[in-house]
Amino acid sequence: MPHLSPPVLLSVYCVLVVAASLFGGWLPSLIRLTHTRMQTIVSFVGGMMLGIGVFHLIPHASQKLGNMDTTMLWMMCGILLMFFLIRVVHFHNHGIAEDAQDDTFEPFAQVHFHSHSHAHSHPQAHQLSWVGIVAGLSLHTLLDGIALGAAVQVESTSMALLPGIGVFLAILLHKPLDAVSITSLMAAGGWRKRNIQVVNAGFAMMCPLGAALFLMGANRFPGIQQELGGSAMAFSAGVFLCIALSDLLPEMEFHSHHRLRLSIALGLGVFMAWAIRFLEPEHSHLFWDLST
């Protein structure tokens, strides 16, 4: 199988991510999204992002930087940035209805948001600004694009079968959930379908923009390309871990029902992330290059 050049492969990935985001915006009108289905998807994607951060991004970043301390520093920067972003604009709420008996997907105007406070208060979704939600998710998606660009650039030097495939799959599976958040919230606010789709399209394009920005930076500073790629991957690992551990997976603790199903979905997500490593050369998972 001939290897595609990093820009071509990255372009293919970005097109598929944009398509997934647009599909997510149309999803509520295409199929019946039940509470259980959404929770199962969130659990699987949470496990996938957790596994990609641990099994792929951190080892690759460590190999390129050659220093575990530097890797951990950039990872912590990613964790803190994403944590404060979620804290300021709690945007990762995927329209999950909380009535386990009904098991239906409710519009955003009727859905309660998890505040994760001690009292577990649930402010109404309509009190949140859709502008803030879109801004927060767009910045997050921009970081996803940077992570994807870094993964493709770094892994292409290791003769991987499909460079960046793990990061790509995690983003591909996660974007429809974000798009559902945006379009459902805007629909609850009375926005026209055309306007909703325009906003969703703009949101979807943030991933290619992030990937392009990384490639431009890497090409502009070829002397530090390896350090730039390693730092971006370590930073992205922090972003992925924060999203998985502080936002997606904690939703499971609010649901006493379907615990086995959600736990299996989580395990499958982690296993899939681990299994992807077999598409890459064995030496690409060393924490540093022992030959240097």
Side-chain angles (χ1 to χ4, degrees), residues 151-173:
V152 172
Q153 185 80 4
V154 169
E155 294 179 17
S156 63
T157 63
S158 64
M159 299 303 294
L161 182 61
L162 286 173
I165 184 64
V167 175
F168 162 67
L169 288 176
I171 296 173
L172 183 75
L173 296 173

Side-chain angles (χ1 to χ4, degrees), residues 6-263:
V8 173
L9 182 60
L10 188 57
S11 297
V12 172
Y13 285 163
C14 286
V15 168
L16 294 176
V17 169
V18 169
S21 297
L22 295 176
F23 174 73
W26 297 322
L27 198 58
S29 62
L30 297 177
I31 63 174
R32 180 172 174 265
L33 292 174
T34 66
H35 167 71
T36 301
R37 288 174 183 171
M38 286 297 295
Q39 279 297 311
T40 303
I41 294 172
V42 168
S43 298
F44 175 79
V45 172
M48 180 79 172
M49 298 191 77
L50 180 63
I52 293 299
V54 172
F55 297 136
H56 297 272
L57 292 175
I58 293 177
H60 282 299
S62 300
Q63 184 191 44
K64 291 302 176 182
L65 293 174
N67 188 311
M68 183 58 71
D69 289 339
T70 304
T71 301
M72 294 297 103
L73 177 61
W74 278 108
M75 186 185 74
M76 183 58 67
C77 289
I79 291 174
L80 291 177
L81 176 64
M82 186 52 59
F83 173 80
F84 287 120
L85 182 59
I86 294 175
R87 194 75 163 177
V88 172
V89 185
H90 194 155
F91 51 81
H92 274 99
N93 296 280
H94 302 295
I96 308 299
E98 294 198 59
D99 188 352
Q101 303 301 319
D102 189 16
D103 198 33
T104 59
F105 178 88
E106 299 179 11
F108 254 76
Q110 300 172 348
V111 177
H112 296 290
F113 281 66
H114 291 310
S115 66
H116 299 297
S117 66
H118 180 69
H120 300 302
S121 59
H122 303 285
Q124 291 292 337
H126 63 76
Q127 296 175 347
L128 298 178
S129 168
W130 70 268
V131 176
I133 301 294
V134 172
L137 282 172
S138 295
L139 178 56
H140 161 43
T141 303
L142 185 72
L143 296 176
D144 283 341
I146 293 174
L148 185 58
V152 172
Q153 185 80 4
V154 169
E155 294 179 17
S156 63
T157 63
S158 64
M159 299 303 294
L161 182 61
L162 286 173
I165 184 64
V167 175
F168 162 67
L169 288 176
I171 296 173
L172 183 75
L173 296 173
H174 189 228
K175 288 304 103 182
L177 301 180
D178 292 342
V180 166
S181 299
I182 292 174
T183 56
S184 298
L185 185 61
M186 292 185 69
W191 286 83
R192 295 180 179 178
K193 287 186 177 181
R194 182 175 180 179
N195 293 335
I196 293 174
Q197 296 305 328
V198 168
V199 171
N200 187 38
F203 156 73
M205 292 304 297
M206 295 302 290
C207 185
L209 177 60
L213 288 175
F214 175 82
L215 285 186
M216 286 190 296
N219 293 331
R220 186 176 179 84
F221 305 102
I224 59 170
Q225 192 174 86
Q226 178 165 307
E227 291 78 7
L228 185 63
S231 299
M233 293 193 78
F235 182 89
S236 302
V239 171
F240 274 40
L241 292 178
C242 185
I243 292 172
L245 294 177
S246 72
D247 189 80
L248 295 180
L249 299 185
E251 289 191 25
M252 294 175 61
E253 71 181 87
F254 290 95
H255 302 274
S256 58
H257 54 287
H258 302 303
R259 285 182 174 176
L260 179 60
R261 177 173 180 163
L262 298 181
S263 298

